Every structure is written in C-alpha cells, then in structure tokens.
Amino acid sequence: MPRERLHLFDTTLRDGAQTNGVDFTLADKLAIAGMLDELGVDYIEAGYPGANPIDTQFFAERRPGRAKITAFGMTRRPGRSAANDLGLAALLAAEADAICFVAKSWDYHVRVALETTAEENLASIRDSVRAAKAKGREALLDCEHFFDGYKANAAYALACAKAAYEEGARWVVLCDTNGGTQPHEVEKIVGEVCRHIPGDRVGIHAHNDTEQAVANTFAAVRAGARQIQGTLNGLGERCGNANLVSIIPTLKLKADYAEKFDIGVSDQALARIARVSHALDDLLNRAADRHAPYVGESAFATKAGIHASAIMKDPATYEHVAPERVGNKRKLLVSDQSGRSNLLAELDRIGFAIDRDDQRLGRLLEEVKEREAMGYAYEAADASFELLARRLLGRVPRYFEVEKFDVNVEQRVNAKGERVTVSQAVVKVRVGDECLISAAEGIGPVNALDLALRKDLGKYQGFITGLKLTDYRVRILDAGTGAVTRVLIESADETGDHWTTIGVSANIIDASFQALMDSIVYKLVKSGAPA
Ligand SMILES: [Zn+2]
C-alpha cells in the first residue's frame, strides 16, 4: 500500500523565537534554516517580514532550498481593504514561497480583542487568502485558539476554517494556542473538522502547557490531520511548542506511523537528528537536555548492573529503538552501583579490549568507588571516566604540566567611580622543554583560568583551537568529611562532539581546574595529539 504523505512544518524561527531568553541573529536564522532544510522538513516558517527588521532581512537573503520558506503575519485588518493594509503589503512583498496568516477563530476573541464582527473577521480571512494566491504564494491559515473557540462556538470556529479552505488555502491549521487542550479532545475535534475539510488540508499546531504537545500532535494525525507544526527541541513561548525532534523519530521508527506515512525525512537525515538538536543548543549557548527523548545523553543510558549485562547480550532487551538510528549512543553508566558488566561494556565502547578476569578491572572498579565516595560522579562525566580508565591502563601521555597557577579577584573603584570586580589568571605551563607563561582576564575567576590555560599550549595549541566550554555546573556536596564542591564542565569541539569532565575539591577553583584540565587532555587524546 502506498504511504500517505504527512507534511512537516517547522516554526522554530517564528514561534520558537518567542522563547524566553532566545534572540536569534540573522546569521543564526540562516544557519538554522540550513539545518532544517537538510533534515528534510517541508516548510520553514521564518518570521514576520515587514514587522521585524531581522526577519525582513532574512527573506531578502534567504538561500534556495528544498523547504518552502514561509512568511507569517496577520490577515488584513478589520475595516480596511486588502490593498490598503501596509502589514499585508509587506507580507505579500516578501520573497516567500508560502504565507501563513493568523486569524482568530473564537468568536469571543473576535468581539473582545479584535473589536469587530464575526462576519468581518470571515471576510478578512477570505480577502487575505485571495490576495496571497493572487500574488502566486501558497496560502495557509493558522486558526488561533481553534480548540477553545470550537468548544465555545463550534459553528463559528468551523466557519473560519472553511472560509480559508473554500478560498483555496493549501492548509488550515488548527492551533491550540493556550496549550491546555487534552489529547482526547484534540482527536474528537480534529475528527469533526475533517468531516468538513479533507484531512490532507488540515494541520495541527500544539503548545506544551500540559506537556502533551507531542501527544496532541499524534492525536490530530490519528484523527486525519496531515500537516504537523512544531519546533526543534520544542522551543516556543511559555512551555514551548510540539517538539519535532521527538515527533520525527516516532513517525520514522514506530511501525504504526512508519508504515502509513512518508514524511520526507531520509534515514540518513534521521541519523543526524541528535546532532541537529545539539547544534541548536550550541547556537543558543544553552546546555542540552540530558533526558530529552531519543537525542538526550541519557536517552540510552543504563545504570543498574543487571540491566547492563542483558543489554550487552541483546540491546533490544532495554531499548525501544536502536540509538544509532537517531544518531545517539548507548551508554552504560559507570557508578558506585555498577558491576563489572557496566565497566567492561563501557571500556569496550571506548576501545579497550580487556578480559573479564583481568586484575586491572578490579582495580579500576575500586578506584571508581573510592572516588565516588569523595564526591566524583562518573556517570555524569564520560570523558573524565575515560581518562581515569586510560590512566589506570597506562595510556595517557603527559602532554604538558601546569607548574603553577595564580588566580586573582579584585574589587575596586574604576576611573568612572563605579565598583567593578576583575578576575585575572596567570598560568605557568611546561610543554616538553618549553616553559610558557600566559595571563588572561575573565568574567570570573574560572573563566580567567580557562582562558589563560588555553591561551598557549605550545605545539599542542593547534589541537585545541576548536575546543569550547558549553556548560559549567557547580554543586556543593556533603561528603562526610565536610562540604566539597563538585564541578561539571561540558565541552564541545569543531566536529560537534560533546563531552563532560568533573572535578571535586573543597575549593571551587581547584575543582574547576581539575575539570578544565581533563577537558583539554581529553581533547588532545581524542585528536590523536602526539605525546
Ligand atoms: Zn503557537
């Protein structure tokens, strides 16, 4: 049986840009559009041309791709003709393949927020769709508050949707704008709408306010909707939009959907989806969600020893899909709870062939347990674990030695009479016969130390230029002998790899120094730097 086409509409650059703390530059937007196009989505909603200068520029500079670049804006204003509406004119003028209009479909909102009549709102929808089509654009209508509107006045909500459909809009998108609708309600209402408008003209736009945006999306698909709107990593206002990074793998890997639908995303693209998700976090300078379904670092991590030995025999015992399909990795956590099986499997993954009865295995297990009692947490620090294992098995070169470092925090009054706090670090490093001294100023003492450490590593400098810190986390632990500080540092490099290192000490600078050192040494090992 031929599979039905299900269309993906990404709105990371429009609705996702509403996320608290997210501020895309033009370069960000162009980079994200490139990633989305490679992933294989059908539509990229890029913003509000005419209403926002960066968006206007995006449409002017957009590069040709497979996906339809979509402009977003309001239907013509009530009481004006389409020809006499500046906002609509800017939308029509943008270099877009499609235009997605947003209109109210809840009669209460039409009266109270728009202060116009139900009939004028319908006329505005028809006129706007007609204007877009006359300009040669594909037209879509986002029916704002559709589900709440439908519950209050089904006939009117439906009339709004039908006005756009009958005027020739390619898609009528049902929006759960407040994000409070439940999956069973979505399924029922979308089913009723699809009796009036064919499902292959109906889309779903779900928000995550009850953490069911993904479930609501699938409910709509089951009821007949054939366009899915969502964002990468579920970005979006308040609790976010439906997360395409979770939706796409489910559509590709779960038989009920995979057998029925073609979504235009290749297996190769699917295998890059974890990368895409992390690349977006990098761009936003935020830490990746370790527990994100499919793509999170913990999505395929197993801790208990008994599970680990089963996984080694047959991964399907504890994994719902194979991690490689989505570009993720199986991870067997090494921790004080873990037995030899986890340790062996983890060593195997990082490339150490070691016999189950090798005495060194017992020593490594003891070392891990001892250090975890001090506050180390190797399950959260894969790179530090790998270095610990390599050191115990005698395979980490001594690339360089930090002979001493000095970190200085000074608060003083500057020339303008303001109180400022300045952090400086000086590091003395020995690389072979060379002695290198570097100094740096930073935002804080750890930042200064990091900058000074990475400033000049002599012959190794070339190996670490792509290294950057992406996250820094501190926790104060009560480790029996008093409070200690645990620092976790996440790093990334030019290849898109991520790793985490750890440091523990009573002193936060010392703990940070350990984690920074591990990150640099790990990068050197990984890059094959010569001893
Ligand atoms: Zn929205």
Side-chain angles (χ1 to χ4, degrees), residues 14-15 205 207 241:
R14 201 277 298 171
D15 225 352
H205 178 109
H207 276 268
N241 284 58

Side-chain angles (χ1 to χ4, degrees), residues 11 14-16 18 45 72 142 175-178 205-207 229 236-238 240-241:
T11 180
R14 201 277 298 171
D15 225 352
Q18 305 297 316
E45 189 169 57
F72 179 86
D142 270 5
C175 302
D176 184 26
T177 309
N178 289 343
H205 178 109
H207 276 268
Q229 299 205 343
E237 210 172 0
R238 305 186 311 271
N241 284 58

Side-chain angles (χ1 to χ4, degrees), residues 144-218:
E144 203 182 45
H145 296 293
F146 185 84
F147 294 93
D148 296 316
Y150 191 93
K151 285 189 234 171
N153 183 345
Y156 187 70
L158 201 54
C160 294
K162 278 171 83 172
Y165 166 64
E166 285 165 2
E167 203 57 55
R170 173 66 187 88
W171 295 102
V172 177
V173 184
L174 313 181
C175 302
D176 184 26
T177 309
N178 289 343
T181 310
Q182 300 299 298
H184 64 278
E185 298 173 308
V186 169
E187 194 154 359
K188 178 171 163 278
I189 293 172
V190 172
E192 286 170 14
V193 170
C194 288
R195 285 209 290 274
H196 301 271
I197 300 173
D200 63 2
R201 306 286 288 275
V202 173
I204 177 73
H205 178 109
H207 276 268
N208 204 30
D209 298 70
T210 68
E211 212 171 25
Q212 298 184 98
V214 170
N216 279 341
T217 301
F218 286 114

Side-chain angles (χ1 to χ4, degrees), residues 479-495:
T481 51
V484 293
T485 303
R486 174 199 286 163
V487 167
L488 285 168
I489 287 179
E490 199 181 289
S491 311
D493 70 5
E494 68 284 1
T495 68

Side-chain angles (χ1 to χ4, degrees), residues 5 7-11 33 35-45 66-68 232 244 248 263-265:
R5 190 68 163 79
H7 300 255
L8 299 176
F9 183 106
D10 180 277
T11 180
M35 295 190 320
L36 287 165
D37 201 52
E38 255 179 63
L39 188 59
V41 303
D42 298 287
Y43 295 84
I44 298 172
E45 189 169 57
R66 210 189 64 114
K68 293 177 183 164
L232 291 178
L244 288 179
I248 290 171
I263 59 167
V265 174

Side-chain angles (χ1 to χ4, degrees), residues 42-226:
D42 298 287
Y43 295 84
I44 298 172
E45 189 169 57
Y48 306 74
N52 171 327
I54 286 179
D55 294 356
T56 307
Q57 227 176 326
F58 176 92
F59 283 91
E61 294 193 19
R62 55 166 287 201
R63 287 160 204 149
R66 210 189 64 114
K68 293 177 183 164
I69 301 289
T70 307
F72 179 86
M74 300 214 293
T75 49
R76 72 152 174 81
R77 275 192 275 169
R80 293 216 181 181
S81 69
N84 225 343
D85 186 311
L86 284 178
L88 184 60
L91 260 184
L92 295 172
E95 269 309 309
D97 304 302
I99 296 178
C100 185
F101 293 105
V102 57
K104 305 212 177 289
S105 53
W106 185 353
D107 58 348
Y108 165 73
H109 272 257
V110 172
R111 266 196 327 273
V112 175
L114 216 53
E115 295 181 6
T116 188
T117 63
E119 194 39 55
E120 171 63 2
N121 185 50
L122 292 175
S124 153
I125 292 173
R126 283 191 218 101
D127 289 351
S128 305
V129 169
R130 196 179 310 131
K133 293 200 65 181
K135 184 80 183 164
R137 308 283 193 259
E138 184 177 319
L140 296 87
L141 183 78
D142 270 5
C143 298
E144 203 182 45
H145 296 293
F146 185 84
F147 294 93
D148 296 316
Y150 191 93
K151 285 189 234 171
N153 183 345
Y156 187 70
L158 201 54
C160 294
K162 278 171 83 172
Y165 166 64
E166 285 165 2
E167 203 57 55
R170 173 66 187 88
W171 295 102
V172 177
V173 184
L174 313 181
C175 302
D176 184 26
T177 309
N178 289 343
T181 310
Q182 300 299 298
H184 64 278
E185 298 173 308
V186 169
E187 194 154 359
K188 178 171 163 278
I189 293 172
V190 172
E192 286 170 14
V193 170
C194 288
R195 285 209 290 274
H196 301 271
I197 300 173
D200 63 2
R201 306 286 288 275
V202 173
I204 177 73
H205 178 109
H207 276 268
N208 204 30
D209 298 70
T210 68
E211 212 171 25
Q212 298 184 98
V214 170
N216 279 341
T217 301
F218 286 114
V221 169
R222 282 196 302 273
R226 293 295 176 259

